[in-house]
Amino acid sequence: MEETGRMGLQFALGDQQIFIHDTLVNSVIIVLILSIFFMIMSRKIKATDPTKPPKGVMHILEIFVTGINSYVASTMGKKGKGFEPYIGMLAIYLAIANLLGLIGFTPPTSDYNVTLALAIMTFFLTQFFGFKSQKLGYFKSFTEPFALLLPINLLGEIANPVSLSFRLFGNIVSGALIMGLLYGALGWFAPILAPALHAYFDIFAGLIQTFIFTILTMIFISGAMED
């Protein structure tokens, strides 16, 4: 495995040269780090005395879990029970992936393959839980209010993952492009003004997009489930 002139890794597999874009490498690294971190935290939680108040990282985790539980309950209601772990991990992954550009790495969400894969996961979860909740009535709902609207309703359903993926991808890429242009335009003043610009285009936009992606995921899934 070797570094190439392009951003990513290239290695030989037989006679074939395989290239992996750095966005995918960074995405795998984020997942591995999060997996190891939460495995360690899981052991610590099991060893914690529940009668004593949590401290340090455990306290931060408790605040995060409480916040995610409240976030899911307020958006999905009773239908959100059981979705907290998925939404919580999705939010953590997206927040880190969107903000990775701040430390000089390419954000995974600036790669449309990554955002499309996340949106497709939301799409299949929506179809699965819609069918699980309503059985055949879920597919019948696409013919409402009358059968002639079936093609339009199907197109609308397919458009959800497309719009979800393009929204995240477009905002992250445009933020990086704007910052590149501003660095060139500001010249010597860039070191002075850049922190405020990064705060808006990277931190604020990255966290807002995390919020939008997760809340739309919950809305799509809960909307497909029976009331």
Side-chain angles (χ1 to χ4, degrees):
M1 191 174 292
E2 59 179 331
E3 294 186 356
T4 69
R6 293 183 289 174
M7 298 296 287
L9 297 173
Q10 183 172 315
F11 58 92
L13 185 63
D15 296 333
Q16 300 292 323
Q17 291 293 320
I18 307 296
F19 177 76
I20 301 177
H21 200 282
D22 62 341
T23 54
L24 297 181
V25 176
N26 295 342
S27 183
V28 171
I29 291 173
I30 292 172
V31 171
L32 288 175
I33 290 175
L34 287 177
S35 299
I36 294 171
F37 173 76
F38 281 106
M39 282 193 287
I40 294 172
M41 287 299 104
S42 176
R43 291 184 179 180
K44 287 191 174 184
I45 290 171
K46 291 177 181 176
T48 299
D49 184 352
T51 62
K52 296 181 180 178
K55 297 179 181 178
V57 178
M58 302 296 289
H59 191 206
I60 296 173
L61 278 177
E62 183 182 83
I63 294 172
F64 174 75
V65 171
T66 303
I68 286 295
N69 289 344
S70 175
Y71 178 44
V72 174
S74 64
T75 306
M76 301 180 72
K78 293 180 179 178
K79 291 184 282 187
K81 192 171 180 58
F83 286 96
E84 296 91 344
Y86 175 71
I87 297 300
M89 289 309 301
L90 182 62
I92 293 176
Y93 169 82
L94 284 175
I96 295 175
N98 290 346
L99 300 179
L100 207 59
L102 287 172
I103 54 175
F105 293 96
T106 307
T109 43
S110 65
D111 185 338
Y112 186 66
N113 294 300
V114 175
T115 60
L116 180 62
L118 293 170
I120 288 175
M121 286 169 60
T122 295
F123 176 78
F124 279 108
L125 284 173
T126 301
Q127 307 312 312
F128 175 78
F129 284 101
F131 177 73
K132 184 180 179 182
S133 173
Q134 303 187 51
K135 303 295 187 287
L136 292 178
Y138 175 65
F139 297 113
K140 187 182 177 183
S141 66
F142 288 106
T143 64
E144 295 175 351
F146 48 88
L148 287 177
L149 287 181
L150 175 63
I152 296 176
N153 289 335
L154 289 176
L155 283 175
E157 192 68 17
I158 294 171
N160 286 338
V162 176
S163 63
L164 195 63
S165 56
F166 270 119
R167 182 184 294 105
L168 178 59
F169 168 74
N171 277 282
I172 299 303
V173 169
S174 62
L177 289 175
I178 290 172
M179 281 305 303
L181 293 173
L182 287 174
Y183 266 103
L186 292 172
W188 292 99
F189 296 100
I192 301 172
L193 300 175
L197 296 172
H198 275 296
Y200 178 77
F201 288 108
D202 289 332
I203 299 176
F204 179 72
L207 295 179
I208 283 292
Q209 290 309 313
T210 298
F211 171 75
I212 292 173
F213 196 98
T214 53
I215 200 165
L216 285 178
T217 293
M218 289 188 285
I219 290 172
F220 289 152
I221 294 174
S222 62
M225 297 169 73
E226 191 175 26
D227 292 329

